[in-house]
Amino acid sequence: MSLEEGGTPLVGAPFLSERTGCDVYLKVEGANPTGSFKDRGMTVAVSAALEEGAKAVVCASTGNTAASAAAYAARAGLRGVVIVPEGKIATGKLAQALMHGARVIALRGNFDQALELVRELAKRHPIALVNSVNDYRIEGQKTGAFEVCEELGEAPDVLCIPVGNAGNVTAWWRGFQEDGVRPRLHGYQAAGAAPLVEGAPVEQPETVASAIRIGNPARWEDAMSAFTGSRGEVRAVTDEEILEAYSLLGSREGVFCEPASAASVAGLLRYGAEGRVVCVLTGHGLKDPQTAMNRAASVIPCEPDIEQVETAVMGGG
Ligand SMILES: *Cc1c(COP(=O)(O)O)cnc(C)c1O
């Protein structure tokens, strides 16, 4: 069951390289079929669910897992059911899940509660759970590490990656280990949702980066052993730093990612690194048009008159 996921662009980042003194690359995971890296894992998880005879797939999601599960379930002819925190998922992701025909349940609770509930549900019914607690997801997502090593001809020195439920950092580390390489993994959490940094679950996680608004990561131990094993680190970045990096990526590097993805660059800018650095941009900017519109400059209204158009085009400065 595939939509030809993976094989995403690895693009150089001249502005960020200049700014940080590192050799910076961006792994543009928004170029996957549903616009996030989740597809790398979903192709494997949904294929396995089919093989095992499941009739439906279910997940708890901050949005992208829902969009991806819905798409692959649709293609597989399986029922897709997704549980998302009410009012806390980006518009594009909701539109995707609905368009792919999933049953979308808005939980009056947060992601962590949703995950607990779907885990219980999957025990009671023949429904495949496709969250990243499902090991097939990790197996698929590790391919990002293979690609980066192949594209660079060797491992990077540092991999910067946003951390939510911590499945992805677990997967990249597994991929690097299987390739026999050991880049430092630098994980970044949003300051309002930084349980791994604080060393304790966060009851009410809050951040503009809704994809990493998670207070109790399911892959906690795996993630910590990735940071330790790679001599890396896990740090927090504020929403303001995330949004700064988000704007900078769009306006200076020409790459539009979603806010959670920009945490990787926000962390690099705040804490620095050395050598060849790959930042994983986990999801596409079009997923979350609202945050973009709130953040960006306004459009310029204009009458169809050459003088007025001239003024509008040339601008004031
Ligand atoms: C899922 C997701 C993350 C976090 O990945 P985890 O595996 O939960 O740590 C980061 N960014 C985006 C855009 C995501 O969809």
Side-chain angles (χ1 to χ4, degrees):
M1 197 47 53
S2 173
L3 288 163
E4 302 301 324
E5 52 293 314
T8 57
L10 180 71
V11 300
F15 179 83
L16 286 169
S17 298
E18 173 85 35
R19 170 81 78 89
T20 58
C22 305
D23 186 16
V24 183
Y25 292 81
L26 308 170
K27 184 65 170 159
V28 186
E29 291 292 277
N32 277 296
T34 78
S36 85
F37 73 83
K38 300 297 199 298
D39 296 341
R40 291 182 186 273
M42 206 56 73
T43 177
V44 189
V46 171
S47 298
L50 257 189
E51 191 176 31
E52 288 158 8
K55 294 285 176 272
V57 300
V58 66
C59 66
S61 178
T62 58
N64 281 329
T65 301
S68 185
Y72 285 82
R75 202 170 169 84
L78 296 174
R79 283 188 35 205
V81 181
V82 304
I83 303 190
V84 299
E86 186 178 43
K88 296 292 184 184
I89 90 165
T91 316
K93 304 174 188 180
L94 193 56
Q96 287 179 288
L98 292 167
M99 278 302 286
H100 291 305
R103 181 184 288 250
V104 179
I105 297 159
L107 189 75
R108 299 203 179 91
N110 61 31
F111 170 84
D112 303 286
Q113 294 168 308
L115 182 58
E116 216 170 283
L117 290 163
V118 293
R119 290 177 93 151
E120 184 56 37
L121 196 72
K123 277 189 211 145
R124 297 189 186 185
H125 301 276
I127 305 177
L129 178 61
V130 295
N131 278 104
S132 57
V133 294
N134 179 328
D135 208 54
Y136 292 118
R137 284 274 310 278
I138 307 299
E139 283 296 305
Q141 286 169 212
K142 75 184 181 187
T143 56
F146 300 157
E147 283 175 22
V148 161
C149 292
E150 231 171 81
E151 285 160 317
L152 293 176
E154 60 185 352
D157 297 298
V158 177
L159 185 89
C160 296
I161 187 168
V163 178
N165 213 25
N168 208 29
V169 68
T170 300
W172 278 80
W173 181 231
R174 190 181 292 180
F176 285 130
Q177 284 183 300
E178 288 183 15
D179 252 0
V181 296
R182 199 157 72 121
R184 290 179 196 274
L185 298 194
H186 287 195
Y188 301 110
Q189 299 204 286
L196 299 182
V197 179
E198 289 165 20
V202 174
E203 272 313 311
Q204 305 285 352
E206 270 310 334
T207 170
V208 66
S210 56
I212 52 171
R213 189 173 175 274
I214 293 175
N216 191 11
R219 293 276 180 177
W220 190 304
E221 281 82 25
D222 292 324
M224 292 318 289
S225 60
F227 297 128
T228 312
S230 72
R231 297 156 302 135
E233 58 188 38
V234 59
R235 318 286 286 261
V237 285
T238 65
D239 278 6
E240 196 42 48
E241 289 167 333
I242 289 172
L243 291 173
E244 282 267 346
Y246 170 68
S247 295
L248 193 151
L249 280 162
S251 64
R252 300 295 189 132
E253 300 289 8
V255 179
F256 184 23
C257 66
E258 65 174 284
S261 310
S264 59
V265 170
L268 171 63
L269 289 171
R270 166 138 181 211
Y271 298 106
E274 265 172 41
R276 194 179 264 182
V277 179
V278 171
C279 295
V280 185
L281 299 185
T282 46
H284 203 290
L286 290 172
K287 293 269 190 179
D288 187 358
Q290 201 53 56
T291 303
M293 297 301 278
N294 294 346
R295 178 85 192 164
S298 340
V299 298
I300 299 155
C302 188
E303 295 302 321
D305 165 82
I306 185 62
E307 312 295 327
Q308 291 200 39
V309 170
E310 215 165 24
T311 311
V313 169
M314 300 313 197

